[in-house]
């Protein structure tokens, strides 16, 4: 079945993100998708949120992205998504460089962290959102092991909140992964499709 037969809205789904991974997840599910990165200051929104729990922070950011893009593209079905990494109560952001990535991994090694992946869907002024969480346990790593990984993975690690891509070399860092793969990649696909189906946007 091709995308036009599956997707029932007159225009393609609009993803409020420049993430190639999220776009590819939607496309692999047969959905026609366009991207329009949200124009928001994530750190400012985080500061305004005060003492929001990490899960609620992810929800707030996803919703802000969807609403900002929907305001610029009325009538479109818009998906906003955000992912927050939490380890022992601390929120991690994308590392600025390889030195920051090393510090990230030094904090995460030997511990279990959570990836809260939030999605917000807006359509004709109405919005709904949800959050899925995955738990990942990183194996103990000394400084030499972290250095070896960073040499192999390179600057790509700075594009991820955890300084790893589980679908690539990052898999070597872990001893246990609990959660749906698409949740780990930042877009929980099964619950998203269920909601789009409930909105009458999918053929089956």
């Amino acid at each position: 079945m091709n995308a036009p037969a599956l997707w029932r809205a007159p225009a393609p789904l609009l993803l409020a993100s420049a993430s190639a991974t999220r776009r590819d997840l939607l496309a692999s599910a047969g959905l026609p998708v366009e991207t329009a990165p949200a124009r928001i200051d994530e750190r400012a929104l985080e500061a305004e949120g005060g003492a929001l729990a990490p899960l609620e922070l992810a929800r707030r950011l996803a919703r802000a992205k969807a609403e900002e893009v929907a305001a610029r593209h009325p009538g479109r079905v818009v998906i906003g998504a955000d992912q927050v990494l939490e380890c022992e109560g601390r929120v991690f952001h994308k590392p600025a460089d390889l030195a920051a990535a090393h510090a990230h991994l030094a904090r995460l090694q030997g511990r279990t962290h959570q990836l809260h992946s939030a999605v917000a869907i807006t359509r004709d002024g109405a919005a709904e959102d949800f959050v899925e969480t995955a738990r990942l346990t990183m194996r103990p790593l000394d400084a030499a092991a972290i250095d070896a990984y960073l040499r192999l993975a390179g600057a790509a690690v700075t594009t991820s909140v955890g300084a790893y891509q589980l679908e690539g070399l990052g898999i070597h860092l872990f001893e246990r992964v609990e959660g749906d793969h698409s949740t780990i990649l930042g877009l929980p696909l099964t619950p998203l499709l269920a909601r789009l189906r409930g909105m009458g946007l999918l053929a089956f």
Side-chain angles (χ1 to χ4, degrees), residues 57-199:
L57 173 61
R59 189 194 304 273
R60 177 188 177 97
L61 291 170
R63 196 174 185 110
K65 290 177 180 180
E67 290 174 347
E68 193 281 328
V69 170
R72 291 189 281 118
H73 299 272
R76 298 290 295 271
V77 179
V78 179
I79 300 294
D82 200 85
Q83 187 178 66
V84 171
L85 188 156
E86 173 192 6
C87 184
E88 300 179 347
R90 175 183 170 183
V91 169
F92 287 69
H93 302 298
K94 292 177 183 178
D97 51 32
L98 291 177
H102 192 289
H104 266 43
L105 295 171
R107 286 293 302 268
L108 297 174
Q109 64 85 23
R111 295 178 174 86
T112 298
H113 64 265
Q114 292 77 41
L115 286 174
H116 304 295
S117 291
V119 176
I121 310 165
T122 65
R123 182 191 192 193
D124 299 327
E128 65 172 285
D129 54 58
F130 65 92
V131 184
E132 296 287 323
T133 298
R135 291 170 52 86
L136 296 87
T137 302
M138 196 172 284
R139 62 190 182 89
L141 300 164
D142 59 19
I146 293 173
D147 284 339
Y149 162 70
L150 292 174
R151 282 196 301 272
L152 289 168
V157 300
T158 62
T159 66
S160 164
V161 291
Y164 60 78
Q165 283 82 37
L166 200 73
E167 66 275 25
L169 290 173
I171 192 64
H172 292 278
L173 304 177
F174 292 92
E175 62 183 33
R176 188 167 70 253
V177 175
E178 304 167 81
D180 182 81
H181 188 63
S182 64
T183 296
I184 295 167
L185 295 183
L187 190 72
L189 200 52
T190 303
L192 171 58
L193 294 175
R195 283 163 174 80
L196 293 175
R197 198 173 294 117
M199 295 167 71

Side-chain angles (χ1 to χ4, degrees), residues 3-80:
L6 174 63
W7 180 246
R8 288 184 162 175
L13 181 64
L14 192 56
L15 176 63
S17 170
S19 168
T21 298
R22 291 188 177 109
R23 183 195 64 222
D24 291 347
L25 281 169
L26 292 167
S28 71
L31 302 182
V33 58
E34 297 175 349
T35 59
R39 302 168 185 170
I40 65 169
D41 185 335
E42 295 185 34
R43 299 291 74 81
L45 280 172
E46 182 177 348
E48 290 171 10
L52 280 179
L55 184 149
E56 293 305 322
L57 173 61
R59 189 194 304 273
R60 177 188 177 97
L61 291 170
R63 196 174 185 110
K65 290 177 180 180
E67 290 174 347
E68 193 281 328
V69 170
R72 291 189 281 118
H73 299 272
R76 298 290 295 271
V77 179
V78 179
I79 300 294

